[in-house]
Amino acid sequence: MIGRMVAVAAVVWALAGGALAQGSKLETAELATRLAPSPVKYTVLLPPGYDPAKGPYPLMLLLHGGGGDNGFLASMRPTIEQAWAAGELPPLVVVTPDAKRSLYMDYRDGSQKWESFIVGELIPAVRQRYKLSPDRMKTVVTGISMGGLGSLRLGLDHPEVFGGLASLEAGIEPALSFDDVKMRNRFQRDDAFFKSIFGDPVDRAFWKKANPANMAIDNRARVLSSGLQIYLEVGDLDMFHLDEGNEYLHRVLWDHQIPHEYRLVHGADHLGKSLGPRLRDGFRFLTAHVLAPPPPDTSYAAGKAAVVSLRRRMGVADDEPRPPLPPTGAPSH
């Protein structure tokens, strides 16, 4: 259902965005594997002027949502082209694999290992084929819905591979335990679906290990030492109530002092006209913080030094940890 809705939305964005920039190229290929139903199709978008002799190029994985496939990249092509034309993305190679409705997971029973396939086989294969940089700061991942979940899962689990992630409206629940997940936050995923991936009955410990909020806590030291750049966003009118899971993850990141940028997009639903511009916001973040960061801003150096001095005079230590925020109280009705 989500895949069909994305396709309809993409037509609107294409009409709004005008003609594609000249010189880009879309290709589809297959990769044989024993880790997932083989062969796995993937689509590649090459930037205008792509020339292997001019490489190595950066790599951006663009992950599709539930019900989608590698054709998602063709749907997003107008948005990517607009970002290139506006200078919001450097020339890079974009890759979208057809990951089915896998949640980008290694299944509990070992029958499918999508995370292992993407990191261990797909990325090395496309790097070799298209002359891409092996540098983690030239490797980023983004996606929407299930793809936003996949971006979080891949980035938080493999900060040594990815320099940054931009997760849009990730399909995540506001919980640290499977038993605390409410039906309002998982109604699009029935019991049979969970059992197919997390075991029958659902392996609670396995679910917890794969849940992005728990991953952020468990992998905190690795994430901080790597400098992984994290962008998280969701619309506050999300029809699947994904704003609740994303807001919860934001608070987990905040409480555990994991740097990130978070946006709760006012008036935005899961799909619609807002999604194209929101994806470009994610591109801008990845460009500014990973792919082509500007030099440090020293324009306010003198003012900052004065504030630091005042802070010390008032007894506020530079290394004082951020205290927990006080309770906000119950909303009034």
Side-chain angles (χ1 to χ4, degrees):
M1 178 178 66
I2 297 175
R4 292 194 298 271
M5 294 166 70
V6 169
V8 172
V11 173
V12 176
W13 301 333
L15 293 174
L20 298 176
Q22 296 298 313
S24 68
K25 184 179 180 183
L26 201 67
E27 299 182 349
T28 296
E30 294 182 343
L31 185 61
T33 180
R34 295 182 178 180
L35 299 178
S38 184
V40 175
K41 290 184 178 181
Y42 64 94
T43 298
V44 178
L45 182 62
L46 303 176
Y50 168 79
D51 181 351
K54 297 178 181 178
Y57 286 83
L59 166 65
M60 181 170 73
L61 292 183
L62 176 60
L63 305 181
H64 65 76
D69 56 27
N70 56 299
F72 176 65
L73 180 52
S75 299
M76 296 298 101
R77 186 181 182 183
T79 301
I80 298 169
E81 294 284 3
Q82 292 162 20
W84 273 330
E88 297 163 355
L89 267 180
L92 48 67
V93 172
V94 188
V95 176
T96 299
D98 179 4
K100 316 301 180 186
R101 202 182 176 204
S102 65
L103 303 185
Y104 300 94
M105 286 276 301
D106 287 0
Y107 286 21
R108 176 67 178 84
D109 63 6
S111 62
Q112 300 183 40
K113 297 183 177 181
W114 287 97
E115 180 179 336
S116 296
F117 165 73
I118 291 171
V119 173
E121 295 184 355
L122 178 64
I123 290 178
V126 296
R127 278 176 171 167
Q128 181 178 16
R129 179 170 180 173
Y130 293 101
K131 197 172 182 181
L132 308 182
S133 174
D135 187 348
R136 60 178 294 273
M137 296 305 289
K138 298 297 181 182
T139 308
V140 296
V141 57
T142 185
I144 69 164
S145 196
M146 187 186 80
L149 164 62
S151 302
L152 292 166
R153 177 162 288 133
L154 294 176
L156 294 173
D157 223 10
H158 302 277
E160 75 284 354
V161 174
F162 299 96
L165 67 90
S167 171
L168 279 72
E169 55 188 27
I172 55 179
E173 301 89 11
L176 294 177
S177 169
F178 181 76
D179 292 326
D180 291 333
V181 177
K182 298 179 175 64
M183 183 55 68
R184 66 178 278 110
N185 300 120
R186 51 153 287 194
F187 64 86
Q188 73 277 27
R189 298 170 179 169
D190 61 18
D191 290 345
F193 175 77
F194 277 101
K195 291 176 182 179
S196 69
I197 295 178
F198 296 99
D200 185 5
V202 170
D203 185 329
R204 268 58 176 172
F206 186 73
W207 181 92
K208 181 176 181 180
K209 185 178 180 181
N211 176 40
N214 294 99
M215 294 173 69
I217 297 170
D218 295 342
N219 297 346
R220 179 179 183 273
R222 292 172 56 214
V223 168
L224 293 179
S225 64
S226 71
L228 178 71
Q229 299 296 301
I230 301 172
Y231 179 89
L232 181 68
E233 74 93 68
V234 69
D236 66 357
L237 297 179
D238 193 285
M239 68 182 78
F240 297 102
H241 301 148
L242 298 181
D243 48 323
E244 296 169 17
N246 284 269
E247 175 71 22
Y248 182 76
L249 177 58
H250 158 60
R251 295 185 185 191
V252 169
L253 296 174
W254 173 275
D255 287 347
H256 291 270
Q257 300 188 35
I258 298 175
H260 64 289
E261 181 167 329
Y262 172 62
R263 297 188 182 185
L264 182 63
V265 185
H266 183 52
D269 204 333
H270 192 70
L271 296 169
K273 294 180 180 179
S274 73
L275 194 53
R278 288 160 57 192
L279 186 59
R280 289 176 63 178
D281 285 340
F283 293 163
R284 281 189 284 267
F285 174 88
L286 293 173
T287 297
H289 294 277
V290 185
L291 300 170
D297 182 6
T298 60
S299 63
Y300 196 65
K304 182 175 180 178
V307 172
V308 170
S309 177
L310 173 62
R311 204 164 58 206
R312 292 171 178 169
R313 290 200 308 271
M314 300 304 290
V316 180
D318 289 341
D319 59 352
E320 182 179 26
R322 180 197 300 140
L325 294 175
T328 60
S332 58
H333 296 285

